[in-house]
Amino acid sequence: MKYLIVGLGNIGPEYHETRHNIGFMVADTLAKAAGATFTDGRYGFTTTLSVKGRQLLLLKPSTFMNLSGNAVRYWMQKENIPLENVLIVVDDLALPFGTLRLKSKGSDAGHNGLKHIAATLGTQNYARLRFGIGNDFPRGGQIDYVLGHFTDEDWKTMDERLETAGEIIKSFCLAGIDITMNQYNKK
C-alpha cells in the first residue's frame, strides 16, 4: 500500500525553519530517521521510505504554499494514490506551539495551502496533521509571525514534537486514521 505524506512549506533559504515550513521540517525529520534523502522532481522534492511493508512517498512541494494543490494532485495521479491514503502536514495558528492534531477532514481555517489543495482536489475530505505554531502576534502581524522563526523556547521541545509527528504519520499508515486520532489527539 502506498501513502502520500505532504509536508507543506515554501522553498528558498528565506523560509528555512520558519513557522509556515513546519510541514517541511516534519518531512525532513521522518526522512532523516529512515536514512532517506530527497530528490528534486516535478512539483517538489520527494523521497520514499518503507514502514512495515507500507510505502510512504514524502513530498515537499516546490510550488509555494498557495499552489500546493498542484503538487498534491500530480503525485496522487502519478503514483496512483487514493485520497484516503493522503496526509497533509500543516502549520496551525489556532493550536499552541507543539500541539499535534490529526483530522480526517475539515475546513482550511484560512490556510492558503489547504485552501488550494481543497480547490484542486474538489474536496476537503483529506487527512491533515495540524502542528500548532501558536498565535503570539499583535493585531495585523499574522503574516510576519507565520513567516517568522521559532523562539528559543519553542526549540527546547522541537525535536521531540517533530519525532512525535513522525510517529503519528507512521501510525496513520499502519493503524489507520481513527485509531491514530484516538491514540494521539489526547496528548
Side-chain angles (χ1 to χ4, degrees):
M1 295 211 355
K2 276 189 186 174
Y3 292 83
L4 178 61
I5 310 300
V6 184
L8 294 187
N10 285 311
I11 56 169
E14 67 271 32
Y15 299 109
H16 182 69
E17 293 186 344
T18 59
R19 291 181 182 94
H20 218 25
N21 272 31
I22 197 69
F24 278 15
M25 293 169 67
V26 169
D28 286 339
T29 300
L30 202 53
K32 185 178 177 187
T37 53
F38 284 90
T39 55
D40 190 358
R42 183 143 184 222
Y43 289 123
F45 300 87
T46 59
T47 191
T48 306
L49 49 116
S50 183
V51 178
K52 294 185 180 175
R54 309 289 166 109
Q55 226 187 351
L56 280 63
L57 175 65
L58 303 183
L59 168 65
K60 299 189 303 183
S62 58
T63 55
F64 285 99
M65 191 67 78
N66 298 356
L67 297 174
S68 298
N70 295 342
V72 173
R73 179 178 55 201
Y74 173 80
W75 286 100
M76 281 177 70
Q77 290 173 347
K78 182 180 187 323
E79 298 295 325
N80 198 23
I81 298 172
L83 187 62
E84 61 269 16
N85 288 7
V86 173
L87 177 61
I88 311 295
V89 184
V90 60
D91 58 289
D92 194 316
L93 283 166
L95 297 172
F97 172 77
T99 302
L100 296 161
R101 288 289 177 271
L102 182 64
K103 295 185 72 165
S104 59
K105 61 184 185 239
S107 76
D108 56 58
H111 193 286
N112 290 330
L114 294 181
K115 197 175 291 182
H116 193 263
I117 292 167
T120 305
L121 299 182
T123 182
Q124 293 185 333
N125 296 338
Y126 55 85
R128 72 275 320 261
L129 176 58
R130 298 163 48 212
F131 193 116
I133 59 169
N135 58 7
D136 187 22
F137 55 88
R139 188 177 191 89
Q142 180 174 334
I143 292 171
D144 289 338
Y145 179 80
V146 167
L147 295 179
H149 289 88
F150 291 100
T151 65
D152 291 342
E153 192 63 29
D154 294 341
W155 281 108
K156 289 178 184 173
T157 57
M158 183 68 80
D159 288 345
E160 184 272 329
R161 295 285 72 204
L162 290 170
E163 285 171 23
T164 301
E167 290 170 18
I168 292 170
I169 291 166
K170 289 178 194 172
S171 178
F172 168 80
C173 299
L174 295 171
I177 192 157
D178 292 333
I179 290 171
T180 305
M181 285 192 302
N182 287 335
Q183 183 177 350
Y184 287 97
N185 282 355
K186 296 176 182 122
K187 294 182 181 179

